[in-house]
């Protein structure tokens, strides 16, 4: 090996040892740890409780009776009731109930009937309050509520058309969603 190459290697080694070359200097080190955490996620749960209730003119009936052998005339009232249990762990859940859906029911039939949809809390909750959004409720805690749907053929119904077409109420899909913040409460 020639003297120039040997000199260059020696000079580079001296720079690495004394000049702070990478990985060649010793250093001191200390460590510290954070605390571990086990965090529980909030959750929502909603399920139907008990059997649905059906009433025809304030008399309990079965769904089969209503669908198979009951012909509505002016003055008749049909009521459907179903209870739901909810469990909201954490805060800020919103229960949304869609509007009644009568897909497949002719307009002249819809114009002749009166309908109501009620959401009724059963017992105490941390919170169950109406919001400024239609059919939406801020809910926290554990409890139950009932959905009640009423379909009425008014007594004073005077319509030239014969009511030969049925009323078709489609099922509703209720939604319980945990959100970052509750909806604003209803005003008025």
């Amino acid at each position: 090996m020639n003297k120039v190459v040997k000199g260059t290697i020696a000079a580079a080694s001296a720079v690495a040892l004394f000049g702070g070359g990478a990985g060649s200097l010793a250093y001191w080190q200390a460590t510290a740890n954070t605390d571990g955490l086990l965090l529980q996620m909030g959750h929502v749960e909603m399920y139907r409780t008990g059997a649905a209730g059906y009433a025809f003119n304030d008399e309990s009936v079965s769904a089969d009776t209503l669908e198979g052998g009951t012909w509505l005339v002016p003055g008749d009232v049909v009521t459907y009731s179903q209870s739901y249990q909810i469990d909201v762990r954490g805060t800020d859940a919103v229960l949304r109930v869609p509007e009644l859906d009568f897909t497949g029911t002719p307009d002249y039939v819809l114009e002749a009937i009166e309908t109501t949809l009620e959401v009724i809390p059963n017992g105490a909750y941390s919170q169950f309050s109406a919001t400024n959004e239609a059919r939406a409720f801020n809910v926290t805690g554990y409890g139950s509520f009932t959905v009640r749907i009423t379909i009425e053929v008014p007594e004073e119904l005077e319509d030239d058309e014969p009511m030969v077409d049925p009323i078709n109420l489609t099922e509703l899909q209720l939604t319980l969603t945990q959100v970052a913040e509750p909806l604003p409460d209803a005003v008025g």
Side-chain angles (χ1 to χ4, degrees), residues 135-156:
R135 297 170 315 283
F137 304 86
N138 288 322
V139 182
T140 59
Y142 182 81
S144 68
F145 65 94
T146 299
V147 171
R148 183 169 43 209
I149 300 169
T150 305
I151 300 170
E152 179 179 355
V153 182
E155 249 181 68
E156 64 279 352

Side-chain angles (χ1 to χ4, degrees), residues 30-54:
T31 61
N33 297 330
T34 63
D35 290 337
L37 294 172
L38 174 63
L39 301 174
Q40 300 294 329
M41 293 298 289
H43 77 267
V44 295
E45 185 177 10
M46 177 172 55
Y47 52 91
R48 290 170 54 141
T49 58
Y54 302 91

Side-chain angles (χ1 to χ4, degrees), residues 39-47 85-95 125 139-143 175-180:
L39 301 174
Q40 300 294 329
M41 293 298 289
H43 77 267
V44 295
E45 185 177 10
M46 177 172 55
Y47 52 91
Q85 188 73 42
I86 64 169
D87 180 4
V88 177
R89 302 224 179 136
T91 58
D92 303 333
V94 175
L95 169 67
Y125 279 88
V139 182
T140 59
Y142 182 81
T175 306
L176 183 61
T177 308
Q178 205 147 33
V179 295

Side-chain angles (χ1 to χ4, degrees), residues 46-115:
M46 177 172 55
Y47 52 91
R48 290 170 54 141
T49 58
Y54 302 91
F56 179 65
N57 296 331
D58 292 327
E59 301 273 334
S60 290
V61 295
S62 70
D64 291 340
T65 299
L66 281 175
E67 292 180 342
T70 302
W71 300 90
L72 301 181
V73 297
D76 284 343
V77 178
V78 174
T79 307
Y80 164 84
S81 297
Q82 178 64 60
S83 292
Y84 296 85
Q85 188 73 42
I86 64 169
D87 180 4
V88 177
R89 302 224 179 136
T91 58
D92 303 333
V94 175
L95 169 67
R96 287 186 171 90
V97 179
E99 65 182 68
L100 297 176
D101 182 0
F102 292 97
T103 301
T105 304
D107 287 341
Y108 80 92
V109 174
L110 292 175
E111 290 168 6
I113 63 175
E114 295 177 5
T115 62

